[in-house]
Amino acid sequence: MNTKALMSSVLLSCWVIAPASALEVKLGVLTDLSGVYADLAGEGSIQAARMAVEDFKGSERGINVTITSADHQNKPDVASSIARRWVNSDGVNAVVDVPTSSAALAVNEIVRDANALHLNSTGGTSDLTGKACSPHTVHWTYDTWSVANSTAKAVMDTGLKSWFFITADYAFGHAIERDASAFVETHGGQVLGSIRHPFPNQDFSSFLLQAQSSGAQVIGLANATSDMQNSIRQASEFGIKEGGQSLAGLLVFLPDVHAMGLQAAQGLYLTESFYWDLNDGTREWSKRFADARGGNMPSMVQAGVYASVLHYLKAVEASESTDADTVIAKMKEMPTDDPLFGQGKIREDGRKIHDMYLFQVKTPEASTGPWDYYEVVATVPAEQAFRPLDQGECPLVNN
Amino acid sequence: MTSFVNLGRETGRSTWAVSGHALGFAALLIVAIVAPVFVYPVFLMKVMCFALFACAFNLLLGYGGLLSFGHAAYFGSASYVAAHAAKVWGLTPEISIGLGVLTAIGLGAVVGSISIRRQGIYFAMVTLAFAQMVFFFALQAPFTGGEDGIQAVPRGELFGIFSLASDRALYPFVLAITFGGLLLIYRIVNSPFGEVLKAIRENEARAVSLGYHVNRYKLVTFVLSAGLAGLAGSTKALVFQLATLTDVHWSMSGEVVLMTLIGGMGTIFGPVVGAALIVTMQNYLAVLGGWVTVIQGVIFVVCVLLFRKGIVGVLTGNIRSPRVKSRRKSQK
Amino acid sequence: MFDFLGIPPQALFGQLLLGLINGSFYATLSLGLAIIFGLLNIINFAHGAQYMLGAFIAWFMLTYLGLDYFWALIVAPIVVGISGIVIERLLVSRLYHLDHLYGLLLTFGIALILQGTLRNVYGISGLPYAIPQPLSGGTNLGFMFLPNYRAWVVVLSLVVCVSTWLVIEKTKLGAYLRAATENPALVGAFGINVPLLITLTYGVGVGLAGFAGVLAAPVYSVSPNMGADLIIVVFAVVVIGGMGSILGAIVTGYGLGLVEGLTRVVYPEASSVIIFVIMAVVLLIKPNGLFGRAA
C-alpha cells in the first residue's frame, strides 16, 4: 500500500473515531500561595497540575481540561468557602492539593455530598482516610500515620531505641507524636518524655535543653516547616549531635532542607515518598519541572499533585464521564502507574498506597551540588507503609 | 465649648439626617434582596456578617471613642459556642445563635468592666491582652478542636420547622439578623443614650462635671458592642458551618479596624461599605495571592493619610472629624 | 540543693539563662519602641517589620556583597534607621497633630506592606544565615552547654541598652531630647533644631530594631514573618514597663525573658500567653506600668 493512502486512511480513521462532543473537565488547585507551605506546594503545585494536563494530551482524546487555582492561606474557613463556591457554582470537578490538615478536612466535608472529588496531596491528617473518610476523597502522597510510623520504624531499625519528643502544640503535632510513640512503645523502644511548644514558636533552646538532659538517643521532632527548621538549626548550635543524640524529623520536606542548609540539617533522618534523584523516571520529570520553576526541584507533594491529576484524567477517559461517583470508582479500580511513584493502588478508604523511603540528609562534603541532599537508607514497602485498612475506623470499609 | 456647638448643630440637622439615613437603609435593603440573583449568595452572607461585626465595632470606636484591639474575642467565642450548640447539642439555629450572643455579652461584661478603668492606648492593650487569653483558651480547650476548629456544623431548622440547609433558605434569615442588628445600632446611636455617649467622646471631663456616670455609659456600650459582634460571629458559624481559630486571632481584630476605618468611623453605613470592600477584595483578588496583604497595607496607609473620614464620611461630607478619645497633650 | 517545683536546680538555671538570652531581644526591641513612643508619642507598629528588615539586610549583605556579620552589625541598623527616617519625614510626621490611633494604623499598614512584599519575593520558608565563625562553638557550663553566640547576644545587647539609657538620661543631648518632647516651642526658641532632633531619634529607635534583627539572624530563620508575632509581645513589654520609660522597657524586657523561661519549664504551652496575663494584672494594679509616669 502506498504511504500516502496509508497516511490518509489513518488520519481519516482518527477523525471518525473521535467523539462527537468533548468532555469538559475543570480542575481547581487549592493551595497555599503566601504562607508556610508556599514553597512546598504553592505555585509548584499549580505547575505540576499543568504538566499533568499537558502530558495527558486531553485534546487528542476529546477531553478539554481547564485549571483554576486559589490561595486558601492555610485557613479552613477560606478553604471551605472557596471549595464551596467552586463546587456548587463554578462547575469544578476536582479540588486538588489542599495543604494544611484543617483546610483538607474542611474541603473533605464540602465535597462529601457534592458531585466533585477531592484529590489531596499535601494535607497530612490520617483522619482523611480514617474517621473522616469520604467516598469522594483520595489521599495521595503521605499522611501523618505513614510518616510517623515509617520514620520511627526505620530509625529504630538502625538501633536507636530511646526517644524524646518535641511536639508542636496543635492537632497535627499531637497526632504525629501519638502515632510515633505508639510505634516506639509497641516495638521494644522507650519514650523517655515529651514536651509541647507553642505553635508557632521561634526559640527552641529551652525545649532542646530538656531533650538533652533526658539522655534519649533520638529526639523526635513532631513539628513542621519553620518550627522544625528552627529546632534543627538551634539543635546544631547547642551541640546536640556532638553530645551523641540523633534528630529525627517526623515531617520534613525537601524544600525545608534546602532552606536550612546542609550544615544545619546533616545527619537528619526523614521519610518521604518521592525524591527527584531516585531513578531515571523521577529525574526526567523533575528536570522538566525545575526548568519551569527556576531551578527548584519538586517536593513530594508537588509530585503527588502531578500523579493524582494524571490518574484522575485517565479515569475520566476510561469511564467517559465526569460524574464524581463513577470516576472515583474507576480510580480505585485502576492500578496506578507513573514514573514518579511507581506502581500502587487506591484503597477503599481513599488511601493511595506506594513505597515510602527513609532518607538521611547528606553532609556538606558528600553533596555534589544544590538539591543533592538525600541518601536512601531504607525502603518501606507500600503494604507496610500505611495504616492497615481495618485500623482506621473508616465507615466505608466493610470489616 | 466646641462640643456643645457641635451637638446643637447635630440636633438641628436631625430631620435631614434622619431622612438621609432612612433612604440609606431602604437602598441597602433593596440591594440585599436583589443581589443574590447576580452574586453568589454565600459571599453576600459573608459580607453581611462582617458588616454587622464592623458596625458593632464602630459603635464602640466611632461613637464611643474607645479603640478595642481585641474584638475578635467576642466574635470568635460566640462563633465557637454557636457551632458547638448546633453540632454537639443539636439545638435549633435561633437558640444556638442566642447562646453565642449571651457568651459574647458575658465576656464583654467581664473584659469591659476591667478595661474601662484605663484610657487610650492602655485601654486598647488591656483589651488585646484579654483577647490573647481567649485565643489561648480556644487553642487549648478540647471542644474547640484546636487548629481544625469545629467543622461540619449543621445549619439546622429554624424554630424546628424551616430547614436552613440550603443557601436560598438561609439568606433571608441572615438578612433579617443583619438588618435587625443595624437598626438596633441606629436606634442606640440616635437616642438620649447615644447623645450622652457622643458627649463623653468629645469631652469626658465636661460630661463628668455634668453629673453623668461616664464609666457606666462606657461599659454599657462595650457590652452592646461585644454582644452584637457575637451575633455576627454566631451567624457566621452557621453560614460557613465552621468555627476556627481565625475567628479569635488578633489579625481578625485588625481587619475589623481596617473595615471601619475605610468605611468611615462614626457613620452609620461606613462600616457596611468598609466590610463589603474588604471582603470583596479578599475574595476577588485572591488570585493575586500574597499581594493582597500588601494592598491592604497600602489601603491602610492611604486612608490614614488622606482619607481619614472614610468613604462614607467623605461622601456625606461629615462635619465631625472622627477623633478617638485619649489623653491629648495639647489639652492640658 | 532543693528542687524548685520538682525541677532540679541545674535544669532551672539552664532555663533561666536561656530566658535571659531571649530577654535580650525583648529588651532591645522594646527599648527602640519605648524611645519612639516615650519621646515622640508615635506608636510604631512597624517595629517588628523593621526588625525583620535588619535581619534581611544582613542576609543581603552576606549573599550578594559577601560582607560578613560584623559589617552587618554596623551597616544594617544604619540602613534600617535611614529607611525609618524616610518614612517619618514622608508619612508619619503628617499625623503629629492627630490622635495616636492614626500613627498606629499608619505604621501597621507599613508593616503589612514590608512583610507582604518580602514574603512574595522570598517566600516564607526562611533563609539560612550561619553563625559567624569567631562566635561559633560553645562552653560547657556544667549545668548546660552555652553556645558562644548566645552569650555574645546577651553581652552586646546589655551594652547597647545601657549605653542608650545613659545617653538619654545622663547626657546633654538626652536632656535636650527630653525637653524637646515636653515643650518643643520653648526648646526651639533656644536655637535647637527640634524637628531634626525628633527625626534623628526616630531613626535611632528604628535602628535599634534593625540591630536586634541582625542579632537574631543567625539563631532564628531569616523569614518575612519573624517580626509579626513578636511585635505584640514587645508592645506588651513596653506597656508593662510603662509606655514612656526607657528603663522600664529594658528591665521588663529582661524580666519577661526570665519569666518565659520559667514558664517553659513549668507549663510550656502557656509560654506564649503568660506575658498577656502579666500585662493585664500589672495594668490593673499600676495603671501606668511599672516604671511609667502619669503623662
Side-chain angles (χ1 to χ4, degrees):
Chain A
M1 208 182 191
N2 83 34
T3 348
K4 247 196 203 164
L6 183 60
M7 281 300 292
S8 2
S9 47
V10 168
L11 283 169
L12 218 67
S13 47
C14 281
W15 194 62
V16 165
I17 295 172
S21 64
L23 263 179
E24 295 290 331
V25 175
K26 200 164 177 189
L27 300 170
V29 181
L30 187 59
T31 184
D32 172 22
L33 291 172
S34 56
V36 287
Y37 299 115
D39 295 333
L40 182 66
E43 288 286 349
S45 291
I46 303 175
Q47 172 67 24
R50 259 186 234 130
M51 284 172 74
V53 171
E54 279 160 19
D55 290 355
F56 178 69
K57 300 193 178 57
S59 47
E60 290 169 23
R61 309 179 198 215
I63 301 177
N64 278 342
V65 189
T66 44
I67 301 180
T68 180
S69 61
D71 180 3
H72 68 19
Q73 302 167 41
N74 295 319
K75 296 183 186 156
D77 37 304
V78 179
S80 166
S81 61
I82 294 176
R84 188 192 289 265
R85 193 182 70 230
W86 273 357
V87 160
N88 289 335
S89 151
D90 292 351
V92 167
N93 303 107
V95 180
V96 178
D97 195 18
V98 201
T100 306
S101 302
S102 51
L105 285 170
V107 173
N108 191 42
E109 289 308 314
I110 298 282
V111 151
R112 187 186 291 276
D113 297 320
N115 186 18
L117 294 182
H118 172 203
L119 307 174
N120 190 295
S121 180
T122 313
T125 175
S126 51
D127 285 349
L128 277 178
T129 52
K131 290 191 301 235
C133 74
S134 145
H136 286 169
T137 296
V138 176
H139 198 184
W140 203 274
T141 322
Y142 75 104
D143 64 21
T144 49
W145 193 97
S146 64
V147 289
N149 273 262
S150 305
T151 311
K153 176 186 191 314
V155 169
M156 285 187 63
D157 283 348
T158 65
L160 304 170
K161 302 284 181 197
S162 60
W163 290 66
F164 186 95
F165 288 99
I166 295 182
T167 307
D169 189 25
Y170 69 123
F172 164 83
H174 300 170
I176 281 210
E177 183 202 325
R178 178 197 66 213
D179 290 339
S181 304
F183 185 90
V184 167
E185 281 169 346
T186 51
H187 288 78
Q190 262 187 304
V191 176
L192 296 178
S194 77
I195 185 159
R196 291 185 178 173
H197 67 77
F199 165 74
N201 190 40
Q202 301 233 344
D203 180 50
F204 290 85
S205 42
S206 62
F207 310 110
L208 287 167
L209 190 63
Q210 293 185 51
Q212 233 171 1
S213 54
S214 75
Q217 290 168 313
V218 185
I219 301 177
L221 298 174
N223 52 24
T225 60
S226 51
D227 284 344
M228 180 264 305
Q229 292 175 29
N230 280 332
S231 310
I232 291 174
R233 281 152 92 248
Q234 290 165 29
S236 74
E237 214 192 313
F238 279 82
I240 296 272
K241 277 172 255 171
E242 287 82 344
Q245 290 173 304
S246 306
L247 287 171
L250 291 170
L251 185 60
V252 184
F253 299 96
L254 188 65
D256 292 325
V257 177
H258 185 72
M260 285 187 275
L262 286 177
Q263 186 61 35
Q266 57 184 309
L268 187 67
Y269 286 109
L270 55 101
T271 307
E272 291 211 71
S273 57
F274 166 89
Y275 176 51
W276 67 271
D277 204 13
L278 266 179
N279 55 54
D280 290 329
T282 61
R283 271 186 285 269
E284 189 267 321
W285 182 80
S286 303
K287 180 158 188 326
R288 270 200 296 149
F289 180 93
D291 287 341
R293 294 283 302 152
N296 289 325
M297 283 297 173
S299 65
M300 71 168 169
V301 294
Q302 288 158 345
V305 169
Y306 176 88
S308 56
V309 170
L310 197 58
H311 189 67
Y312 170 79
L313 290 172
K314 288 183 191 166
V316 167
E317 185 189 21
S319 51
E320 290 174 7
S321 142
T322 55
D323 171 61
D325 293 319
T326 319
V327 176
I328 196 166
K330 203 45 129 169
M331 285 178 78
K332 291 180 181 174
E333 186 193 309
M334 295 165 52
T336 66
D337 194 355
D338 57 71
L340 275 53
F341 292 90
Q343 292 178 333
K345 71 170 209 266
I346 301 177
R347 307 193 309 204
E348 298 153 65
D349 55 359
R351 179 67 247 168
K352 155 79 168 50
I353 57 175
H354 41 244
D355 294 343
M356 298 283 277
Y357 307 95
L358 178 74
F359 296 107
Q360 193 176 27
V361 178
K362 291 183 172 176
T363 59
E365 299 78 45
S367 161
T368 57
W371 300 101
D372 177 28
Y373 299 146
Y374 291 172
E375 275 233 22
V376 182
V377 173
T379 304
V380 184
E383 296 300 327
Q384 291 168 32
F386 294 92
R387 183 185 55 212
L389 253 180
D390 53 1
Q391 285 179 20
E393 299 171 45
C394 171
L396 293 176
V397 174
N398 309 318
N399 281 337
Chain B
M1 264 314 155
T2 353
S3 49
F4 271 138
V5 173
N6 275 346
L7 263 179
R9 231 182 267 171
E10 183 68 1
T11 346
R13 287 164 69 105
S14 61
T15 346
W16 178 92
V18 166
S19 50
H21 286 145
L23 216 66
F25 271 109
L28 261 182
L29 193 60
I30 295 175
V31 168
I33 293 178
V34 169
V37 177
F38 307 105
V39 184
Y40 181 49
V42 177
F43 170 75
L44 289 170
M45 289 193 273
K46 183 179 186 185
V47 171
M48 287 196 281
C49 289
F50 277 98
L52 181 58
F53 183 29
C55 287
F57 179 77
N58 184 40
L59 181 63
L60 190 61
L61 176 64
Y63 293 100
L66 295 165
L67 172 64
S68 153
F69 267 166
H71 244 59
Y74 319 110
F75 182 80
S77 54
S79 174
Y80 273 117
V81 168
H84 187 81
K87 181 175 183 185
V88 178
W89 295 334
L91 298 174
T92 54
E94 74 283 357
I95 299 183
S96 306
I97 292 181
L99 284 175
V101 173
L102 283 173
T103 311
I105 287 178
L107 194 61
V110 169
V111 177
S113 57
I114 300 177
S115 37
I116 293 289
R117 302 182 207 174
R118 300 294 150 248
Q119 309 269 19
I121 187 70
Y122 290 100
F123 168 82
M125 292 307 282
V126 173
T127 57
L128 175 64
F130 280 105
Q132 288 300 104
M133 291 190 248
V134 169
F135 179 83
F136 176 71
F137 176 76
L139 184 61
Q140 298 291 327
F143 89 95
T144 56
E147 286 293 311
D148 296 343
I150 303 181
Q151 306 209 2
V153 176
R155 285 176 177 172
E157 288 160 5
L158 185 58
F159 303 125
I161 314 169
F162 309 106
S163 166
L164 293 179
S166 75
D167 294 342
R168 193 160 289 248
L170 187 61
Y171 191 83
F173 179 62
V174 174
L175 185 61
I177 289 182
T178 311
F179 263 82
L182 252 65
L183 284 169
L184 180 63
I185 293 176
Y186 181 73
R187 192 69 192 82
I188 294 172
V189 164
N190 289 302
S191 68
F193 176 86
E195 298 297 331
V196 176
L197 198 62
K198 286 178 224 165
I200 295 173
R201 183 192 69 202
E202 295 296 323
N203 195 332
E204 186 168 334
R206 186 160 227 134
V208 171
S209 70
L210 285 170
Y212 288 111
H213 293 266
V214 161
N215 278 353
R216 226 179 271 173
Y217 278 88
K218 284 191 199 173
L219 182 59
V220 172
T221 312
F222 195 99
V223 172
L224 281 169
S225 172
L228 285 161
L231 180 62
S234 316
T235 312
K236 183 225 70 124
L238 290 183
V239 171
F240 286 104
Q241 303 182 271
L242 264 187
T244 66
L245 285 175
T246 310
D247 304 333
V248 277
H249 193 256
W250 62 267
S251 56
M252 175 66 83
S253 298
E255 267 185 27
V256 77
V257 178
L258 179 61
M259 291 177 196
T260 311
L261 178 67
I262 291 188
M265 289 190 272
T267 64
I268 291 290
F269 299 111
V272 177
V273 171
L277 204 71
I278 296 295
V279 173
T280 309
M281 193 182 73
Q282 284 175 345
N283 264 5
Y284 290 100
L285 293 187
V287 69
L288 290 177
W291 291 103
V292 176
T293 321
V294 180
I295 294 174
Q296 278 183 325
V298 171
I299 292 178
F300 251 114
V301 172
V302 166
C303 270
V304 169
L305 286 176
L306 304 171
F307 223 18
R308 276 184 292 278
K309 294 188 185 142
I311 294 174
V312 173
V314 165
L315 287 179
T316 60
N318 214 318
I319 330 168
R320 261 178 295 109
S321 69
R323 208 177 301 185
V324 169
K325 175 106 190 41
S326 87
R327 257 180 263 124
R328 266 164 275 164
K329 282 197 172 170
S330 50
Q331 279 186 340
K332 299 268 143 98
Chain C
M1 267 243 261
F2 58 91
D3 267 17
F4 178 76
L5 293 176
I7 305 150
Q10 279 140 310
L12 187 63
F13 289 143
Q15 297 293 352
L16 286 178
L17 185 51
L18 288 174
L20 198 63
I21 296 169
N22 279 338
S24 314
F25 288 105
Y26 292 139
T28 314
L29 282 169
S30 48
L31 177 62
L33 256 187
I35 288 177
I36 295 174
F37 183 80
L39 302 179
L40 306 178
N41 268 309
I42 306 166
I43 301 170
N44 184 28
F45 220 96
H47 217 65
Q50 285 152 343
Y51 155 81
M52 179 266 289
L53 204 58
F56 258 93
I57 290 175
W59 182 83
F60 285 146
M61 286 173 62
L62 185 64
T63 315
Y64 298 126
L65 300 176
L67 292 172
D68 78 350
Y69 173 82
F70 295 99
W71 282 106
L73 264 182
I74 303 171
V75 172
I78 294 178
V79 172
V80 177
I82 291 178
S83 77
I85 289 176
V86 167
I87 290 175
E88 194 266 341
R89 279 290 94 205
L90 287 180
L91 304 172
V92 182
S93 54
R94 293 171 206 269
L95 301 173
Y96 285 154
H97 60 291
L98 291 174
D99 204 276
H100 300 328
L101 164 67
Y102 292 105
L104 189 151
L105 293 175
L106 176 73
T107 50
F108 181 68
I110 293 171
L112 286 179
I113 296 174
L114 277 173
Q115 275 160 210
T117 314
L118 280 170
R119 192 163 43 206
N120 283 330
V121 178
Y122 286 101
I124 211 142
S125 278
L127 303 162
Y129 190 94
I131 296 180
Q133 250 321 92
L135 293 170
S136 60
T139 25
N140 197 333
L141 296 177
F143 55 89
M144 68 170 273
F145 179 83
L146 179 67
N148 290 338
Y149 185 75
R150 303 245 173 175
W152 160 260
V153 164
V154 178
V155 170
L156 193 58
S157 62
L158 258 177
V159 166
V160 167
C161 287
V162 170
S163 26
T164 311
W165 178 79
L166 282 173
V167 165
I168 292 176
E169 295 292 325
K170 305 287 179 193
T171 65
K172 212 156 149 202
L173 177 65
Y176 286 154
L177 186 58
R178 282 178 287 128
T181 55
E182 294 287 328
N183 199 334
L186 194 55
V187 174
F190 279 108
I192 295 167
N193 190 341
V194 172
L196 180 66
L197 206 53
I198 289 182
T199 304
L200 282 177
T201 309
Y202 189 81
V204 166
V206 171
L208 276 170
F211 171 74
V214 178
L215 279 183
V219 289
Y220 306 138
S221 308
V222 176
S223 104
N225 268 3
M226 60 196 288
D229 287 310
L230 196 55
I231 187 69
I232 42 172
V233 176
V234 174
F235 261 113
V237 170
V238 176
V239 166
I240 293 178
M243 292 290 288
S245 165
I246 309 294
L247 185 64
I250 300 174
V251 169
T252 312
Y254 283 106
L256 172 68
L258 288 171
V259 169
E260 241 188 25
L262 198 60
T263 316
R264 284 222 177 91
V265 188
V266 174
Y267 184 22
E269 295 91 323
S271 51
S272 58
V273 87
I274 188 77
I275 175 68
F276 297 103
V277 175
I278 294 178
M279 177 167 80
V281 168
V282 167
L283 284 182
L284 293 177
I285 305 172
K286 281 207 99 190
N288 288 311
L290 293 173
F291 293 83
R293 324 164 277 265

